[in-house]
Amino acid sequence: MALGERTVLAGGFGYLEAARWHRQALWFSDFKYQKVHRMTADGRYVTVAEVPTTPSGLGFAPDDSLLIVSLSDGHLLRLAPGSREPVDIADLNQVGFHPNDMAVDGEGRAYITHFGYDWFNGDEPRPTGVIIRHPDGRQELAGGGLQFPNGVAISPDGKRLYVAESFATPNT
């Protein structure tokens, strides 16, 4: 394949979100069809879980469990290796509003972005931080001043957290 050529590996998805590369495969959520999939480089994919509460951010705990942000109810789910039934492990509504994307560090801390306000119903935008869900179950809101934090990633060395702000204005 030449640079710039495109090849469709698979289709029939709805609205895709939260792509993560893990164990030689691309894992991603499908908002529309409420599923989480795993796809290999040759385009073969399997549905690893059905999440009727709208799957969003994905991450992997140190024990290789898949963590899934459930957008429509604001919960964090855990899918144990080999299981197809996610288990509810946290109510993120205690510290955030409309949790969305997620990255998990090597210690198992989940960094979860959230809208911070009711965007869907026309609330006025307001700054917020990032939800941290610790392995012991504690939750906190860290940082601040972020305008609709959305995408999130951790540097390969685990020392930096990158957060994309959907509605941030550039510094002038």
Side-chain angles (χ1 to χ4, degrees), residues 47-132:
T47 300
V48 296
E50 293 190 24
V51 182
T53 53
T54 315
S56 188
L58 303 176
F60 293 88
D63 70 355
D64 217 28
S65 294
L66 174 62
L67 301 180
I68 305 166
V69 172
S70 173
L71 179 71
S72 62
D73 68 356
H75 284 240
L76 182 62
L77 310 176
R78 177 182 175 273
L79 183 70
S83 175
R84 290 185 50 88
E85 294 294 324
V87 175
D88 191 327
I89 61 169
D91 180 352
L92 302 171
N93 296 299
Q94 299 172 24
V95 292
F97 194 82
H98 280 309
N100 189 16
D101 202 6
M102 174 176 50
V104 180
D105 71 14
E107 301 298 315
R109 285 179 296 263
Y111 298 88
I112 303 163
T113 60
H114 67 114
F115 297 6
Y117 61 95
D118 195 352
W119 182 62
F120 294 118
N121 288 310
D123 275 3
E124 286 295 314
R126 59 182 163 269
T128 190
V130 172
I131 300 167
I132 302 175

Side-chain angles (χ1 to χ4, degrees), residues 17 100-102 113-115 147-152 163-166:
E17 179 81 4
N100 189 16
D101 202 6
M102 174 176 50
T113 60
H114 67 114
F115 297 6
Q147 297 295 329
F148 203 98
N150 197 348
V152 63
V163 180
E165 297 175 85
S166 291

